[in-house]
Amino acid sequence: MKDLVVAQKYAQALFSEAQAKNELRACQQGLDEFVRVAGLRGSLTKILSHPFIAVDEKKRMIHSALGEYATPLLERFFFLLVSKRRLELLFVIAQEFQTEVDRFQNVEPLRVRTAFLMPEAQQKQLQVKLEGWLKSKVRMDIVVDPQLIGGLVIQTRDYVLDQSLKGQLRTLEKQLSQ
């Protein structure tokens, strides 16, 4: 719980600074890239956290990991995480930063589970309907889950709409058992 609070503070600070410098999109892309590289190379965070690696070498590695997304703000931010020994919170910070960006841009992240892969046209149609229902832009993460048998399950931050065949069978089973 304490780590989540700390991660939220770092994410909010980066968000505020990025917004003030009009670098929100650049920070979002750079943070995503650094998380991607750190995920691919798990040793990166261990190396950056090692006390015997020279400061200049750590700065060079941060710059290299950011690649084309390197900005002075992001480089300072990552070096701050390294110097304060908070790099292990990177993935949580990235999630919290995305939450801040979504709130600012009025975007609702959704997880959509479907029994089968949806064609692009059907995804667009679903997105339009969900945007009307939620009265905000949506970012859909679509996952195929064959266990649903048919239909879909839509999950927002605080609501689940189960329109799957499996969910309907479960509801019917409960009704029949009463």
Side-chain angles (χ1 to χ4, degrees), residues 10 20 51 65 81 95 131 158 165 175-176:
Y10 276 97
L81 290 179
Q95 289 173 336
E131 286 175 348
D158 41 38
L165 187 54
Q175 290 173 349
L176 290 174

Side-chain angles (χ1 to χ4, degrees), residues 8 24-25 29 43 46 50 53 56 65 67 85 92 101-102 106-107 116 124-125 139 162 165 175:
Q8 287 172 335
L24 199 55
R25 184 73 182 137
Q29 289 174 327
S43 61
K46 290 178 185 173
H50 199 282
I53 305 285
D56 289 339
R85 297 182 183 175
V92 180
V101 171
D102 287 345
N106 194 29
V107 173
F116 304 99
K124 292 284 185 199
Q125 187 179 17
R139 185 181 65 250
D162 189 346
L165 187 54
Q175 290 173 349

Side-chain angles (χ1 to χ4, degrees), residues 43-171:
S43 61
L44 177 64
T45 54
K46 290 178 185 173
I47 292 170
L48 288 172
S49 300
H50 199 282
F52 295 121
I53 305 285
V55 171
D56 289 339
E57 183 63 20
K58 288 180 181 182
K59 287 181 179 179
R60 188 190 63 70
M61 290 174 76
I62 289 169
H63 182 77
S64 176
L66 285 168
E68 67 183 86
Y69 302 106
T71 65
L73 173 60
L74 276 176
E75 288 181 0
R76 282 193 327 271
F77 178 74
F78 284 114
F79 188 70
L80 177 69
L81 290 179
V82 169
S83 64
K84 296 290 184 181
R85 297 182 183 175
R86 298 289 190 188
L87 201 56
E88 75 277 356
L89 298 176
L90 175 64
F91 298 102
V92 180
I93 291 170
Q95 289 173 336
E96 293 300 318
F97 183 82
Q98 185 61 53
T99 300
E100 291 290 324
V101 171
D102 287 345
R103 234 181 249 125
F104 176 71
Q105 295 176 340
N106 194 29
V107 173
E108 182 73 34
L110 301 176
R111 182 179 186 117
V112 178
R113 292 183 317 157
T114 65
F116 304 99
L117 187 61
M118 293 172 56
E120 187 72 30
Q122 196 175 16
Q123 288 180 23
K124 292 284 185 199
Q125 187 179 17
L126 177 62
Q127 184 173 2
V128 168
K129 287 187 180 197
L130 289 171
E131 286 175 348
W133 177 52
L134 295 168
K135 295 178 181 36
S136 69
K137 296 178 246 168
V138 297
R139 185 181 65 250
M140 297 189 311
D141 175 25
I142 299 177
V143 178
V144 176
D145 183 358
Q147 292 182 350
L148 295 178
I149 306 169
L152 50 87
V153 176
I154 300 167
Q155 184 176 355
T156 66
R157 284 185 200 133
D158 41 38
Y159 186 77
V160 176
L161 176 64
D162 189 346
Q163 294 295 306
S164 69
L165 187 54
K166 183 178 181 178
Q168 291 174 2
L169 288 172
R170 195 177 317 119
T171 302

